[in-house]
Amino acid sequence: MANITIKRGDTLFLQCSVASNSLPQNLQNWQIKSTVKYGPRPVANLTVTKSSDSFTLQGSTANWPVGVLQCDIQYTTEGIVTGKQIGRAHV
């Protein structure tokens, strides 16, 4: 799990990839969503831009509360939905 510190008002920009057995996965047929939460409350849906083997998460932090937030990613491929908490953002 990754932890980052970001100043409120900055733009969050993360470059991500998915690997299996140390090999990058082809993401062409995957759907990817990402949500930032403060406790159980959703704060923002991040913009996902994907290429064949990587993706970026981007969003403005201008309206995020100050504190520790969680970022979750949800992957859907072949009708199977999986999710993962990727880390915490200290705002």
Side-chain angles (χ1 to χ4, degrees):
M1 178 185 318
N3 292 310
I4 62 169
T5 300
I6 192 165
K7 186 176 177 182
R8 187 176 186 190
D10 287 352
T11 298
L12 176 71
F13 184 87
L14 298 173
Q15 180 74 35
C16 308
S17 62
V18 179
S20 178
N21 296 323
S22 299
L23 298 172
Q25 294 295 292
N26 184 332
L27 305 176
Q28 194 165 18
N29 295 319
W30 292 35
Q31 291 78 45
I32 303 172
K33 297 179 184 179
S34 183
T35 304
V36 176
K37 297 179 182 178
Y38 185 59
R41 181 175 60 95
V43 172
N45 292 316
L46 298 177
T47 300
V48 177
T49 305
K50 87 183 162 144
S51 66
S52 62
D53 64 354
S54 66
F55 63 97
T56 59
L57 302 176
Q58 187 171 347
S60 171
T61 65
N63 295 318
W64 293 11
V66 173
V68 180
L69 289 73
Q70 293 81 33
C71 184
D72 297 329
I73 298 178
Q74 182 184 67
Y75 305 104
T76 304
T77 180
E78 297 179 10
I80 299 171
V81 178
T82 59
K84 179 174 182 160
Q85 180 179 341
I86 61 162
R88 293 185 173 91
H90 300 265
V91 182

